[in-house]
Amino acid sequence: MIAHAIVFYIFSLIAIVSAIMVTVSKNTVNSVFFLILDFISISCLFIMIGAEFLGMIMLIVYVGAVAVLFLFVVMMLNVAQQKNEWFNSSGRSSHIPVGLLVSIIIFFELIIVIGGWKYKPDLLDSIAIEINTDLTNTQSLGSVIYTDYIHLFQLSGMVLLVAMIGAIVLTFRQRSGVKRQSYFKQISRDRKDGIELVDVENNKGVKIDA
Amino acid sequence: MAELFIFFEQIYRILFLLIPVLVSVAMIVWLDRRVWAFVQKRRGPNVVGPFGLFQTLADALKYIFKEIIIPASANKIIFILAPIVTMTLALIAWAVIPFSETFVLADINVGILYLFAVSSLGVYGIIMGGWASNSKYPFLGAIRSAAQMVSYEVSIGVIIINVLLCVGSLNLSDIVLAQKDLWFVIPLFPMFIIFFISALAETNRPPFDLPEAEAELVAGYQTEYSGMMYAMFWLGEYANILLMCAMGSILFLGGWLSPIDLFPFNAIPAPIWLILKILFLFILFALIKAIVPRYRYDQLMKLGWKIFLPFSLIYVVLTASFLMYFDLLPGN
């Protein structure tokens, strides 16, 4: 039990310190790496409380895909050398009021959430669904999501689909004059379309359509 | 005292797994070069030791004694971390591979998800190395590789869903035991082919070795690395290839099970079967390296997103409806 507690505190300490380092770190790429460390330690915490499915999904989705795209964008946009202005500027940055507003809203939301927080023994008394302790994590999640909460689940899938289509529509631009390779055209080409024999008149030349 | 004993026992078990894996990585590099040479009618490494078996050890010795050069403009911490990350991730995934019904280091509930997660983290070693070198070719290689690995992970994920539909469990031992009567390579043959090709792309093997295409990018993300750090990238890469072969044999070729459940076959110990299957897949990997020319980058992306992903998604629907119609779904 003591070892469990020690490991828990190590992971939560890493999570909190790396979350702070995300905002403090001066190099944007380092920020992303701290974000990854944060995700990893949070997924370790998930595994420690027995939610191994959530922990692994956290690793696969956030660390394996989302953070890679973050890194990708940060590296491609070459903002790596841009210094973090929070500590350098003397209050001139116009982002600070907006950031403060957002953080105050999140702070109050957190207060509301934690105010209604139920700890595990109280929670177990009040919930209606029976907990089957024989099932593994994955099975019980699946049997709840795909039966009782199927509409909410489908709805969140729809929201993601809309977001995906929106992202594609916003970034899609059709350029004219781009030469694209068409496999079907290439494969279905034979000697007749490829080669044309022309009798060339002297001093006239041939006109080739471009 | 008892805790201490368990601790040392665990360390012993980890070493018992890790050292054979490292040795077989060294041997597999030799095998790769021999197969490559065989296809091209060369001899390959045949001087050091019997059949040249110790060639990789000699190479490793050479790398150890070479100087490690860190470029002046590199981000030193990340530059040094990158090969360590690659090597570590390639090795920790072996913790969940079941070599027989009892011989598995960590028989966790979500074994296949763990494997998938670790192999999807593998991209970080490459992207860190490419960025931290602060040089054009490594950076281009890293960007290419990140896009490539993320794309092919998607199709590998969908293929895994296909297998899981037939098994009904995320545990690797359950996946193997579900193939007792019929290996999944037979009903899911198209998925096996797509898994194999995606594994080639995921491990940056030829014909998908664009991150280190020497004709265009010198050596891709490895350009600035030297000495032991380069060797770690190199060993990590081969450990990843072996891991993908192990994953393929567990998902499709029945893991440690013998092909026929009859006397001379099932007398052979289970780990040997798994090793033989891994070797079979690896020789296929090596042959493909020798005989197939490199893909163009846009063709690679097109293959991943426009062909493999839709096809494996359709196959998920097919598998699910087949299992539903014939009432074969596991768990009923």
Side-chain angles (χ1 to χ4, degrees):
Chain A
M1 219 48 225
I2 289 176
H4 196 271
I6 291 172
V7 175
F8 170 78
Y9 282 115
I10 288 174
F11 280 132
S12 25
L13 200 71
I14 294 175
I16 292 170
V17 169
S18 53
I20 293 170
M21 288 304 287
V22 173
T23 52
V24 171
S25 143
K26 292 201 170 153
N27 189 329
T28 327
V29 174
N30 286 353
S31 290
V32 180
F33 282 125
F34 277 115
L35 189 68
I36 294 162
L37 186 62
D38 200 21
F39 284 149
I40 291 176
S41 39
I42 286 173
S43 90
C44 291
L45 287 178
F46 267 128
I47 294 168
M48 282 192 67
I49 60 169
E52 71 263 6
F53 183 78
L54 272 184
M56 287 301 157
I57 291 294
M58 180 100 189
L59 269 187
I60 293 169
V61 174
Y62 284 95
V63 185
V66 173
V68 172
L69 296 182
F70 270 13
L71 260 187
F72 210 74
V73 170
V74 167
M75 287 174 177
M76 287 286 264
L77 294 180
N78 207 10
V79 286
Q81 304 309 319
Q82 194 182 326
K83 297 283 180 265
N84 195 326
E85 287 186 1
W86 182 272
F87 293 99
N88 301 342
S89 66
S90 47
R92 272 180 290 122
S93 172
S94 60
H95 304 304
I96 291 176
V98 182
L100 270 181
L101 189 71
V102 172
S103 43
I104 286 171
I105 292 172
I106 292 176
F107 181 66
F108 279 110
E109 281 176 348
L110 276 178
I111 285 181
I112 293 166
V113 169
I114 293 172
W117 191 269
K118 287 211 170 68
Y119 291 95
K120 203 177 163 190
D122 304 335
L123 188 72
L124 288 178
D125 292 337
S126 64
I127 49 173
I129 306 169
E130 269 181 56
I131 291 177
N132 186 349
T133 43
D134 302 337
L135 289 177
T136 65
N137 221 293
T138 320
Q139 280 172 320
S140 39
L141 252 183
S143 60
V144 171
I145 285 179
Y146 291 101
T147 53
D148 298 341
Y149 298 103
I150 180 71
H151 298 298
L152 289 175
F153 183 66
Q154 293 272 321
L155 209 66
S156 48
M158 282 311 231
V159 171
L160 282 179
L161 182 69
V162 169
M164 193 176 92
I165 293 172
I168 292 171
V169 169
L170 283 178
T171 53
F172 186 73
R173 61 191 167 122
Q174 209 151 22
R175 281 182 297 178
S176 55
V178 181
K179 283 185 178 159
R180 283 216 170 74
Q181 186 183 22
S182 161
Y183 298 137
F184 298 112
K185 238 179 177 173
Q186 281 186 345
I187 294 167
S188 58
R189 224 167 83 116
D190 56 10
R191 190 164 189 276
K192 245 189 312 187
D193 327 311
I195 296 175
E196 191 186 353
L197 288 178
V198 196
D199 289 323
V200 184
E201 255 182 79
N202 210 359
N203 278 336
K204 285 272 171 63
V206 197
K207 202 172 186 186
I208 302 168
D209 51 337
Chain B
M1 203 57 214
E3 286 92 348
L4 212 65
F5 179 71
I6 293 173
F7 180 72
F8 281 115
E9 197 201 346
Q10 286 299 325
I11 286 186
Y12 166 74
R13 288 178 62 189
I14 290 169
L15 287 181
F16 190 68
L17 181 73
L18 211 56
I19 291 169
V21 166
L22 281 173
V23 171
S24 48
V25 165
M27 291 300 118
I28 224 86
V29 174
W30 168 83
L31 181 68
D32 187 33
R33 293 173 67 184
R34 281 302 281 229
V35 171
W36 197 7
F38 176 73
V39 174
Q40 297 176 344
K41 286 192 156 184
R42 291 184 288 116
R43 289 213 182 120
N46 65 347
V47 177
V48 193
F51 309 107
L53 261 174
F54 300 144
Q55 179 67 45
T56 319
L57 300 181
D59 283 348
L61 209 65
K62 181 187 78 178
Y63 282 126
I64 290 170
F65 287 112
K66 274 191 167 184
E67 186 189 354
I68 291 175
I69 299 167
I70 297 176
S73 61
N75 186 331
K76 283 191 188 55
I77 299 172
I78 296 179
F79 187 81
I80 294 170
L81 265 179
I84 300 175
V85 166
T86 306
M87 190 75 191
T88 316
L89 286 173
L91 290 181
I92 60 168
W94 287 91
V96 294
I97 300 284
F99 286 89
S100 79
E101 212 154 350
T102 48
F103 180 21
V104 48
L105 205 59
D107 196 12
I108 58 175
N109 279 335
V110 286
I112 187 73
L113 282 184
Y114 175 82
L115 265 189
F116 187 58
V118 170
S119 74
S120 71
L121 294 190
V123 65
Y124 282 111
I126 292 172
I127 213 174
M128 283 162 91
W131 178 76
S133 302
N134 203 355
S135 154
K136 290 285 184 294
Y137 289 126
F139 185 63
L140 282 174
I143 291 286
R144 271 186 179 189
S145 145
Q148 173 180 336
M149 288 170 88
V150 168
S151 312
Y152 279 85
E153 240 163 61
V154 179
S155 66
I156 287 187
V158 178
I159 292 163
I160 289 176
I161 291 176
N162 265 303
V163 174
L164 292 183
L165 273 174
C166 305
V167 180
S169 165
L170 297 171
N171 184 305
L172 285 171
S173 302
D174 287 348
I175 291 175
V176 173
L177 286 176
Q179 305 177 52
K180 203 142 203 165
D181 304 319
L182 185 66
W183 291 0
F184 287 146
V185 67
I186 297 165
L188 299 175
F189 187 69
M191 288 298 103
F192 175 66
I193 299 290
I194 292 184
F195 177 83
F196 185 74
I197 298 172
S198 304
L200 285 175
E202 180 79 7
T203 50
N204 297 327
R205 283 284 290 186
F208 305 111
D209 61 338
L210 289 149
E212 41 195 289
E214 64 269 10
E216 304 148 32
L217 295 178
V218 190
Y221 60 93
Q222 298 169 340
T223 308
E224 305 286 349
Y225 281 89
S226 61
M228 204 51 217
M229 284 159 82
Y230 172 75
M232 279 175 84
F233 261 132
W234 189 55
L235 291 177
E237 204 173 289
Y238 274 90
N240 258 329
I241 292 164
L242 267 190
L243 183 76
M244 274 294 168
C245 294
M247 204 164 149
S249 32
I250 286 169
L251 287 178
F252 293 101
L253 299 179
W256 73 75
L257 298 171
S258 65
I260 314 161
D261 201 10
L262 287 174
F263 166 65
F265 293 105
N266 57 19
I268 298 171
I272 305 260
W273 279 119
L274 183 65
I275 289 167
L276 281 179
K277 284 164 189 171
I278 292 174
L279 270 181
F280 168 72
L281 281 182
F282 183 79
I283 287 174
L284 279 185
F285 264 65
L287 277 177
I288 282 181
K289 176 183 184 174
I291 58 184
V292 181
R294 185 175 288 139
Y295 253 57
R296 220 172 52 205
Y297 193 70
D298 61 314
Q299 287 174 330
L300 172 89
M301 282 297 167
K302 192 170 182 177
L303 188 71
W305 286 106
K306 293 189 182 166
I307 299 172
F308 282 0
L309 185 62
F311 186 71
S312 40
L313 270 177
I314 290 170
Y315 214 85
V316 168
V317 177
L318 265 178
T319 316
S321 3
F322 183 85
L323 292 173
M324 195 76 194
Y325 185 75
F326 291 101
D327 208 19
L328 289 170
L329 275 176
N332 291 348

mmCIF file of all heavy atoms in Angstrom, chain B residues 69-76 79 132-133 224:
data_model
loop_
_atom_site.group_PDB
_atom_site.id
_atom_site.type_symbol
_atom_site.label_atom_id
_atom_site.label_comp_id
_atom_site.label_asym_id
_atom_site.label_seq_id
_atom_site.Cartn_x
_atom_site.Cartn_y
_atom_site.Cartn_z
ATOM 1 N N ILE B 69 29.542 12.562 -31.655
ATOM 2 C CA ILE B 69 29.620 13.975 -32.014
ATOM 3 C C ILE B 69 28.249 14.596 -31.863
ATOM 4 O O ILE B 69 27.273 14.106 -32.431
ATOM 5 C CB ILE B 69 30.106 14.131 -33.467
ATOM 6 C CG1 ILE B 69 31.497 13.531 -33.599
ATOM 7 C CG2 ILE B 69 30.126 15.596 -33.851
ATOM 8 C CD1 ILE B 69 31.926 13.356 -35.014
ATOM 9 N N ILE B 70 28.182 15.669 -31.080
ATOM 10 C CA ILE B 70 26.916 16.392 -30.931
ATOM 11 C C ILE B 70 27.066 17.720 -31.660
ATOM 12 O O ILE B 70 27.962 18.508 -31.328
ATOM 13 C CB ILE B 70 26.591 16.623 -29.451
ATOM 14 C CG1 ILE B 70 26.411 15.275 -28.743
ATOM 15 C CG2 ILE B 70 25.316 17.442 -29.318
ATOM 16 C CD1 ILE B 70 26.185 15.395 -27.273
ATOM 17 N N PRO B 71 26.238 17.988 -32.663
ATOM 18 C CA PRO B 71 26.380 19.228 -33.424
ATOM 19 C C PRO B 71 26.269 20.447 -32.514
ATOM 20 O O PRO B 71 25.520 20.431 -31.526
ATOM 21 C CB PRO B 71 25.213 19.175 -34.414
ATOM 22 C CG PRO B 71 24.827 17.759 -34.486
ATOM 23 C CD PRO B 71 25.159 17.151 -33.192
ATOM 24 N N ALA B 72 27.010 21.505 -32.848
ATOM 25 C CA ALA B 72 27.072 22.678 -31.971
ATOM 26 C C ALA B 72 25.704 23.334 -31.824
ATOM 27 O O ALA B 72 25.356 23.813 -30.755
ATOM 28 C CB ALA B 72 28.078 23.677 -32.524
ATOM 29 N N SER B 73 24.902 23.319 -32.908
ATOM 30 C CA SER B 73 23.627 24.034 -32.846
ATOM 31 C C SER B 73 22.473 23.119 -32.449
ATOM 32 O O SER B 73 21.319 23.515 -32.518
ATOM 33 C CB SER B 73 23.332 24.681 -34.193
ATOM 34 O OG SER B 73 23.252 23.665 -35.164
ATOM 35 N N ALA B 74 22.793 21.888 -32.043
ATOM 36 C CA ALA B 74 21.722 20.955 -31.707
ATOM 37 C C ALA B 74 21.154 21.269 -30.333
ATOM 38 O O ALA B 74 21.826 21.865 -29.488
ATOM 39 C CB ALA B 74 22.244 19.526 -31.726
ATOM 40 N N ASN B 75 19.910 20.856 -30.119
ATOM 41 C CA ASN B 75 19.313 20.909 -28.796
ATOM 42 C C ASN B 75 19.809 19.673 -28.052
ATOM 43 O O ASN B 75 19.322 18.577 -28.274
ATOM 44 C CB ASN B 75 17.795 20.908 -28.941
ATOM 45 C CG ASN B 75 17.089 21.099 -27.627
ATOM 46 O OD1 ASN B 75 17.616 20.719 -26.586
ATOM 47 N ND2 ASN B 75 15.925 21.688 -27.668
ATOM 48 N N LYS B 76 20.807 19.875 -27.154
ATOM 49 C CA LYS B 76 21.584 18.731 -26.672
ATOM 50 C C LYS B 76 20.735 17.698 -25.948
ATOM 51 O O LYS B 76 20.868 16.506 -26.174
ATOM 52 C CB LYS B 76 22.705 19.221 -25.755
ATOM 53 C CG LYS B 76 23.840 19.798 -26.547
ATOM 54 C CD LYS B 76 25.060 20.044 -25.728
ATOM 55 C CE LYS B 76 26.084 20.795 -26.561
ATOM 56 N NZ LYS B 76 25.520 22.057 -27.141
ATOM 57 N N PHE B 79 18.515 15.817 -28.301
ATOM 58 C CA PHE B 79 19.373 15.072 -29.223
ATOM 59 C C PHE B 79 19.849 13.771 -28.586
ATOM 60 O O PHE B 79 19.878 12.720 -29.230
ATOM 61 C CB PHE B 79 20.577 15.945 -29.603
ATOM 62 C CG PHE B 79 21.445 15.372 -30.675
ATOM 63 C CD1 PHE B 79 21.075 15.497 -31.994
ATOM 64 C CD2 PHE B 79 22.632 14.731 -30.370
ATOM 65 C CE1 PHE B 79 21.856 14.977 -32.996
ATOM 66 C CE2 PHE B 79 23.422 14.209 -31.364
ATOM 67 C CZ PHE B 79 23.040 14.337 -32.679
ATOM 68 N N ALA B 132 15.962 17.823 -33.180
ATOM 69 C CA ALA B 132 17.040 18.283 -32.311
ATOM 70 C C ALA B 132 18.354 18.437 -33.067
ATOM 71 O O ALA B 132 19.220 19.187 -32.641
ATOM 72 C CB ALA B 132 17.222 17.323 -31.143
ATOM 73 N N SER B 133 18.500 17.730 -34.206
ATOM 74 C CA SER B 133 19.743 17.858 -34.956
ATOM 75 C C SER B 133 19.915 19.259 -35.519
ATOM 76 O O SER B 133 21.034 19.676 -35.819
ATOM 77 C CB SER B 133 19.760 16.869 -36.114
ATOM 78 O OG SER B 133 19.623 15.575 -35.646
ATOM 79 N N GLU B 224 22.912 13.213 -38.416
ATOM 80 C CA GLU B 224 23.877 13.850 -37.518
ATOM 81 C C GLU B 224 24.343 12.919 -36.411
ATOM 82 O O GLU B 224 25.124 13.325 -35.559
ATOM 83 C CB GLU B 224 23.251 15.101 -36.884
ATOM 84 C CG GLU B 224 22.711 16.109 -37.876
ATOM 85 C CD GLU B 224 23.808 16.874 -38.570
ATOM 86 O OE1 GLU B 224 24.957 16.770 -38.132
ATOM 87 O OE2 GLU B 224 23.510 17.556 -39.566
#
